[in-house]
Amino acid sequence: MKYIIFLSLLVIIAGFVYWRLRPYINAVRHVLNVVRGVRVEHVGEGRASPAADLKQNSRRGTSPAPAGGKLVRCQSCGIWLPASRAVALRSSTNSFCTYACLERAADHPQRTRKSAS
């Protein structure tokens, strides 16, 4: 009987400690996932070919950002983003950052921002 009481008390204390440390444990997990996701590349050592990088990016659903890529400004909210990521209409030169901004501009055409150029 003493062992059962001692064991249940030990489980309660361990649960309380875990409950109090859970936010810190989650933060450490998040940091470790970020560190694991970062790929450190050294020149000439273990560097994959550009074709392999392109293949890996296409599997992830992203495209590599060009080094000298053109920036465009969202006509609705005014933020700058790469032209490759912009949502653009075929019939106009206006660019938007998301479909939500495109819809917002369609709902309120007088509130769209004008570009300086």
Side-chain angles (χ1 to χ4, degrees):
M1 188 69 179
K2 293 179 192 178
Y3 295 114
I4 294 174
I5 293 173
F6 178 73
L7 187 61
S8 62
L9 187 60
L10 190 64
V11 167
I12 290 172
I13 291 172
F16 180 74
V17 168
Y18 173 75
W19 180 67
R20 296 296 291 180
L21 294 178
R22 190 178 52 179
Y24 303 107
I25 293 170
N26 286 337
V28 169
R29 282 183 185 162
H30 181 70
V31 168
L32 291 176
N33 285 337
V34 168
V35 169
R36 191 178 314 144
V38 173
R39 182 174 54 165
V40 178
E41 294 181 0
H42 298 285
V43 176
E45 294 180 15
R47 177 131 171 104
S49 67
D53 287 342
L54 184 61
K55 190 176 192 180
Q56 184 177 8
N57 285 338
S58 66
R59 265 189 270 131
R60 272 192 256 151
T62 61
S63 61
K70 181 181 175 187
L71 293 177
V72 294
R73 187 172 186 184
C74 177
Q75 296 297 316
S76 180
C77 64
I79 68 164
W80 291 90
L81 67 152
S84 61
R85 290 182 48 206
V87 177
L89 298 175
R90 286 185 232 162
S91 60
S92 71
T93 59
N94 294 340
S95 298
F96 300 94
C97 59
T98 60
Y99 287 105
C101 276
L102 175 65
E103 291 174 0
R104 193 174 316 128
D107 291 341
H108 305 289
Q110 70 276 10
R111 295 186 67 191
T112 59
R113 302 187 113 194
K114 300 295 179 189
S115 178
S117 58

